[in-house]
Amino acid sequence: MVFHGVAVHASGLSLKGGHGWVYRDVTLEAGPGSLTAVAGQAGSGRTSLLLTLAGRMKPTGGTLAVGGHHGPGRIRRVAALGLVDGVNDLDGALSVREHLRERVRSPLWNRRQAARATAALTAAGLERSPGDRTLIRALDREERVRLGVALALLDEPGLLALDDVDAGLGGDRLDGLWATLADLAGQGLTVVASCTESGAAATLRLPPREPGASESAEGPKGRDGESGPWAVQGGEDR
């Protein structure tokens, strides 16, 4: 697959809910073909920030440009979501094959579409074929995350955003997933991934929720934010 990554510029980005800040004063610069990790504990607002960067949530303050686009609607044209629990869950009753066919933007499934799906699965590091009839409920966490990446790649995005990369994974399997994301970035795709901990060179570390702070300012997954300025650490490119 050929990737055309886009630049992400965020300055003072903030989101405030009815009971407090979800995240506040975020500054992030990610160049085309870069891998950036958004690290934070539960309640840090990392999922809501990720969804904002991908054009799925509208911030209440600051500025955001993705590939030169401003506003959620325009950003969604160049950004695709990997698996984000509670937002774009895979259907456990459907198969790998059915998910791929639903995602392909064509009324017909032919050799060209099958080849695109094969390329996306390969790029995502998932050893499954486009015709695989395995149900999603039979896949383990790593396979579901990789399938989510493959489905996103079928949209031919400039930015890939995915959540909770390290949830339920560890050791070689987690290292392998990070290696796949780094490889995608190395091929030109801009990747932003949230996690609890990260050793990536470019990491945006969100502060933990302060004791006594409101826990009611929720993002789509019920993760609350906390106030305080923070900025990306490390270089733009991998």
Side-chain angles (χ1 to χ4, degrees):
M1 303 187 78
V2 178
F3 302 112
H4 302 284
V6 295
V8 179
H9 303 284
S11 179
L13 204 62
S14 304
L15 177 63
K16 190 173 186 179
H19 299 276
W21 294 103
V22 181
Y23 58 80
R24 189 179 184 185
D25 295 337
V26 173
T27 295
L28 183 151
E29 296 287 335
S34 63
L35 170 60
T36 302
V38 176
Q41 300 298 315
S44 62
R46 66 176 188 256
T47 298
S48 293
L49 175 59
L50 191 80
L51 292 172
T52 302
L53 296 177
R56 272 65 176 182
M57 294 186 74
K58 185 177 181 179
T60 53
T63 61
L64 172 65
V66 179
H69 298 286
H70 302 268
R74 292 184 178 276
I75 291 173
R76 284 197 297 271
R77 298 176 185 176
V78 297
L81 287 178
L83 189 62
V84 180
D85 293 336
V87 176
N88 62 348
D89 300 291
L90 302 175
D91 190 332
L94 297 181
S95 66
V96 172
R97 174 179 179 269
E98 288 170 317
H99 275 85
L100 290 167
R101 293 196 175 204
E102 282 189 355
R103 192 63 171 254
V104 171
R105 296 178 178 178
S106 172
L108 299 176
W109 181 264
N110 52 33
R111 290 184 179 179
R112 179 177 179 276
Q113 304 304 335
R116 289 185 63 232
T118 297
L121 290 168
T122 300
L126 182 59
E127 296 180 355
R128 300 274 180 175
S129 72
D132 195 308
R133 295 178 182 272
T134 303
L135 296 182
I136 298 304
R137 66 168 65 102
L139 303 181
D140 61 28
R141 170 70 184 180
E142 180 189 359
E143 289 179 306
R144 293 196 304 273
V145 172
R146 290 183 181 277
L147 177 57
V149 170
L151 294 173
L153 294 180
L154 288 174
D155 291 346
E156 301 180 355
L159 168 65
L160 168 66
L162 65 160
D163 195 28
D164 284 344
V165 169
D166 52 357
L169 297 178
D172 292 343
R173 302 188 77 180
L174 179 57
D175 291 342
L177 182 55
W178 279 113
T180 295
L181 299 180
D183 185 59
L184 290 172
Q187 295 179 61
L189 184 63
T190 305
V191 182
V192 179
S194 80
C195 54
T196 302
E197 300 292 342
S198 169
T203 298
L204 175 67
R205 300 190 184 280
L206 304 182
R209 184 170 52 236
E210 295 179 359
S214 169
E215 297 187 6
S216 300
E218 299 181 347
K221 295 174 61 181
R223 288 194 173 132
D224 310 347
E226 183 49 53
S227 60
W230 48 81
V232 67
Q233 303 170 353
E236 292 185 1
D237 299 299
R238 189 111 177 163

